Amino acid sequence: MRKSKFQEVTMISKKADIILNIFMLLLALACIYPLLLVFGISITDEKTVTLEGYKLIPQVVSFKAYEYVFTDAVDIFRAYGVTIFVTIVGSITSLSVISLYAYPLSRKDFRYRKHFTLLVFFTMLFNAGLVPWYMVYTNVLHIKDTIFAMILPGLMTPLYVLIMRTFYSTTIPESIIEAAKVDGASEFKIFTSIILPLSKPSLATIGLFNVLYYWNDWYAPLLFITDEKLYNLQYLLYRINQSITYLTSQSNSLGNVSELLANIPSQTARMAMAIVAIGPIVLAYPFFQKYFVEGLTVGSIK
């Protein structure tokens, strides 16, 4: 008996679903494999890595790399605290500033909308350079060796302002705002009670980008922080990596003179640092996943 057109389309759809599922499974494995490989190397003996190379399953299990990284555990946990504080405060503050700046730009009845939009575009295309930027933060704002030196540089991102503006203008109907005005709601009340609840996908997406920026930032501490108590996690791990590189070079130049230098877990310690740094941020991603895909398509469908 000849199959109907509906049955043929259904069979093709099932085959396409199977192919797509297999493809996505392979893509997921390709993304997870490097992370598992890094973890496997981090718990491998340094000599085994040197002789056998990188392997997913360690032949000789050793936690010396983590012991080396956590030699000064107090400094690591203090850096964790600084990073968590900077990430939370910086992300929330940045998200507030960006959403407040973008909202007037999306309103057609805002008289100076073009002027403020031009400021956003101008800062995306031109910048004064590193030296004036550094002088403003140190000589004008006087925030060197303060926690604010790691928060202010990422406070306003022009691209995120444009994303938020696009979301406001393409997703939120003007009739809702007009109805709220008729009911006597103020602009601030409209923004907090109507606009923000409807903007969760965009807020979650930009919030995730802010979290990633503040968590992985090591450049601001490199420029502005000299007090060891204010080192964040990434910069502390950067300094540990620099120390490993220096000690390894000394070991190579001295030959077998120093057994202590020769036994430094250089490669495995670097992998251990990557695991230490990436762990919490990976656990934070599922909280944003609900809105992440929808937020990435901001403005694509009206």
Side-chain angles (χ1 to χ4, degrees):
M1 183 177 179
R2 186 177 180 180
K3 296 181 180 179
S4 64
K5 188 175 181 180
F6 176 77
Q7 290 176 331
E8 292 179 356
V9 172
T10 303
M11 291 181 63
I12 295 174
S13 178
K14 289 182 179 179
K15 292 180 181 179
D17 288 341
I18 294 174
I19 294 173
L20 289 175
N21 289 331
I22 294 174
F23 175 76
M24 293 304 298
L25 178 61
L26 294 176
L27 184 62
L29 291 175
C31 295
I32 296 174
Y33 179 79
L35 181 61
L36 296 177
L37 180 62
V38 170
F39 177 73
I41 297 170
S42 69
I43 59 174
T44 305
D45 181 65
E46 180 71 20
K47 293 182 179 179
T48 304
V49 172
T50 304
L51 296 175
E52 303 293 335
Y54 296 161
K55 291 186 178 180
L56 182 63
I57 301 176
Q59 294 181 351
V60 180
V61 177
S62 174
F63 294 95
K64 289 184 178 179
Y66 289 96
E67 292 177 3
Y68 181 84
V69 171
F70 284 95
T71 300
D72 297 323
V74 175
D75 294 337
I76 293 290
F77 289 116
R78 183 191 298 119
Y80 256 114
V82 173
T83 302
I84 292 172
F85 177 82
V86 170
T87 301
I88 294 175
V89 175
S91 299
I92 294 175
T93 307
S94 176
L95 197 59
S96 302
V97 172
I98 290 171
S99 58
L100 286 169
Y101 192 97
Y103 176 61
L105 301 184
S106 66
R107 296 285 297 274
K108 295 180 180 180
D109 55 346
F110 180 51
R111 180 182 301 178
Y112 303 103
R113 181 178 63 162
K114 294 183 179 180
H115 299 81
F116 284 95
T117 304
L118 179 62
L119 291 177
V120 175
F121 278 111
F122 186 83
T123 55
M124 289 180 64
L125 299 175
F126 304 99
N127 64 80
L130 177 61
V131 174
W133 181 68
Y134 178 82
M135 292 178 65
V136 167
Y137 278 98
T138 55
N139 298 337
V140 178
L141 299 178
H142 301 287
I143 59 172
K144 186 176 180 180
D145 271 335
T146 65
I147 200 73
F148 300 104
M150 293 179 282
I151 296 176
L152 288 183
L155 205 59
M156 172 66 79
T157 305
L159 178 61
Y160 299 163
V161 174
L162 297 179
I163 293 175
M164 287 293 296
R165 184 204 63 173
T166 304
F167 185 88
Y168 290 148
S169 60
T170 59
T171 305
I172 301 175
E174 294 184 7
S175 57
I176 296 180
I177 300 175
E178 294 175 357
K181 284 185 176 180
V182 171
D183 292 337
S186 63
E187 290 289 349
F188 186 76
K189 183 69 174 179
I190 293 172
F191 179 73
T192 55
S193 301
I194 299 175
I195 304 301
L196 289 182
L198 294 176
S199 304
K200 288 181 180 179
S202 180
L203 293 173
T205 303
I206 295 175
L208 178 60
F209 290 153
N210 281 331
V211 168
L212 291 174
Y213 168 79
Y214 281 111
W215 185 270
N216 294 317
D217 183 35
W218 58 271
Y219 190 62
L222 176 65
L223 293 177
F224 301 114
I225 303 299
T226 57
D227 186 0
E228 295 183 358
K229 294 182 179 180
L230 293 177
Y231 287 169
N232 66 357
L233 180 64
Q234 299 295 341
Y235 184 60
L236 181 62
L237 296 180
Y238 166 79
R239 288 178 62 89
I240 294 175
N241 183 56
Q242 293 296 103
S243 300
I244 292 174
T245 303
Y246 172 76
L247 293 176
T248 303
S249 64
Q250 291 296 106
S251 176
N252 293 333
S253 63
L254 293 175
N256 296 325
V257 173
S258 177
E259 184 179 353
L260 177 63
L261 295 179
N263 292 329
I264 294 175
S266 58
Q267 299 183 69
T268 56
R270 289 184 174 94
M271 301 301 175
M273 287 189 293
I275 297 298
V276 170
I278 200 176
I281 203 65
V282 170
L283 297 176
Y285 177 78
F287 295 99
F288 297 91
Q289 187 177 9
K290 180 179 179 181
Y291 304 102
F292 188 66
V293 175
E294 186 179 350
L296 286 177
T297 59
V298 168
S300 60
I301 299 175
K302 185 174 180 180

